[in-house]
Amino acid sequence: MTDTRQLRASTRAVLPGLDPEDLPDGLVVADADGVVVCFNSAAAQISGISREQALGRPLAEALPLEDLEGRRWWPLLDPYGGLRIRTGQPERNLLLPGGREVLVSARYLREGTGPVRRVVVALRGTEARRRTERSHAELIATVAHELRSPLTSVKGFTATLLQKWERFTDDQKKLMLETVDADANRVTRLIAELLDISRIDAGRLEIRRQKVDLPQALRRHVEGKIAAGVAPERFVIRVNEPLPPLWADADKVDQVLGNLLENAVRHGEGTVTIEVEPDKAVLASGQLREGTAVTVSDQGPGIPEESIPRVFTRFWRGSKRGGTGLGLYIVKGIVEAHGGSIAVDRVPEGGARFRFILPAGIPDFMA
């Protein structure tokens, strides 16, 4: 235990206020003789090995790791032997007794090419990586499912037309080509969604700001819905002017509006009310930030309270009426890329209410 106290003291000397117990990852340190002198709480939690079991024991015994082929890890790694230019081991999956899987990386501390003075081992659980892998697997499965139907349709109709062109009337040919065109558009939209998701996840969603007339964009979307057969009386637009000038990415704002209106029409019922109003907020710095708030509400069954925290996650579907479940995830990413925020709740009389706020976003050269 004396060595542990000394290690904590030396850690604080280099990084004042930092204690091994403050680290989110597991930390295991072995001295020049290979004896474990530090085993923090996170290491105990991740490995299932108590600190009392580990401290004072040789590293290979305190942390008996095996690779995925069942080979003992420390004899293979030989951190205290081998080439003296080695500095560590990159992260990899290893197994502890009982099959517990952990992510392990190591660093060898030495002076120049001298002998190893300490081996520092970092441990991390695999839960976060498994969640990411499951999410990627779900995304691939969803994409494969969504692509199969339109591509099968496109292949079927084009093959039929090529083989039996003379047998069909002009009206039949037109109907089949219109179906092919609609399915091709569906595939294009899905690919665009996937590209947006990859950019959102990587934090590289590019915003091209220009002056946007939000009320005009809303009216254009509503007119498109009416032209597609939705009853005009289902829509009510309220604009509380004057609105601050809005500089945003017009195409991406169209994505947000289109998605929210589509959800309100498809999954909601009754009147879809769209409200646009100015919004002001005081930032932590004390500055006043102006923006525009848009609220889209419907009179449908609404979203169950227990589902509200999951609305903006991948693959959430409000009903069984189709869709990939990616739209609202993308909407949230677009709004936040603009520096805005979005929320959802239930209106008192039933129905879902989405509200997003976009800051004015005036370009630097105009500020």
Side-chain angles (χ1 to χ4, degrees), residues 208-218 220 243-254 257 292 338 358 360:
R208 302 178 184 275
R209 296 187 185 272
Q210 62 186 74
K211 190 78 172 291
V212 175
D213 188 334
L214 202 50
Q216 183 180 1
L218 270 171
R220 186 175 65 252
L243 297 171
L246 177 64
W247 288 77
D249 190 309
D251 291 337
K252 289 182 171 53
V253 169
D254 273 344
L257 297 176
T292 303
H338 280 82
L358 294 177

Side-chain angles (χ1 to χ4, degrees), residues 84-256:
R84 292 199 171 191
I85 58 172
R86 295 189 305 161
T87 58
Q89 171 66 38
E91 186 177 79
R92 63 178 297 168
N93 282 37
L94 295 174
L95 298 174
L96 284 162
R100 184 189 292 251
E101 191 173 355
V102 290
L103 299 171
V104 183
S105 58
R107 185 79 174 173
Y108 311 148
L109 302 183
R110 62 172 95 225
E111 293 182 3
T113 56
V116 173
R117 294 184 295 107
R118 272 185 186 151
V119 174
V120 180
V121 180
L123 303 178
R124 290 199 299 157
T126 58
E127 292 79 8
R129 179 170 291 186
R130 288 187 183 278
R131 284 195 297 270
T132 301
E133 290 173 351
R134 281 197 298 270
S135 179
H136 288 165
E138 288 175 0
L139 182 60
I140 292 170
T142 298
V143 171
H145 175 76
E146 291 293 328
L147 285 175
R148 183 182 296 118
S149 175
L151 289 178
T152 300
S153 170
V154 168
K155 177 63 177 175
F157 278 123
T158 53
T160 301
L161 284 170
L162 287 171
Q163 294 171 6
K164 304 176 181 179
W165 180 266
E166 295 82 6
R167 299 186 186 183
F168 297 107
T169 66
D170 288 346
D171 288 341
Q172 288 173 325
K173 292 174 183 175
K174 181 180 179 183
L175 177 61
M176 295 171 76
L177 289 173
E178 286 175 344
T179 304
V180 169
D181 184 62
D183 284 332
N185 288 337
R186 182 176 164 191
V187 172
T188 301
R189 285 195 300 271
L190 180 59
I191 292 172
E193 284 185 348
L194 294 176
L195 290 173
D196 284 338
I197 285 174
S198 66
R199 290 166 184 149
I200 289 168
D201 288 346
R204 296 200 306 264
L205 189 64
E206 190 173 351
I207 302 298
R208 302 178 184 275
R209 296 187 185 272
Q210 62 186 74
K211 190 78 172 291
V212 175
D213 188 334
L214 202 50
Q216 183 180 1
L218 270 171
R219 294 187 183 100
R220 186 175 65 252
H221 277 278
V222 170
E223 288 168 1
K225 292 294 181 190
I226 294 171
V230 182
E233 57 270 18
R234 283 202 66 184
F235 299 100
V236 173
I237 299 177
R238 298 178 184 145
V239 180
N240 184 5
E241 295 182 311
L243 297 171
L246 177 64
W247 288 77
D249 190 309
D251 291 337
K252 289 182 171 53
V253 169
D254 273 344
Q255 272 186 269
V256 172

Side-chain angles (χ1 to χ4, degrees), residues 218-219 222 226 230-239 261 264-265 270-276 294-299:
L218 270 171
R219 294 187 183 100
V222 170
I226 294 171
V230 182
E233 57 270 18
R234 283 202 66 184
F235 299 100
V236 173
I237 299 177
R238 298 178 184 145
V239 180
L261 286 175
V265 171
T271 302
V272 176
T273 303
I274 309 113
E275 300 173 275
V276 186
V294 179
T295 305
V296 179
S297 55
D298 61 64
Q299 297 177 326

Side-chain angles (χ1 to χ4, degrees), residues 21-38:
E21 295 301 311
D22 298 333
L23 300 175
D25 293 337
L27 175 67
V28 181
V29 181
D31 63 14
D33 297 319
V35 175
V36 174
V37 296
C38 177

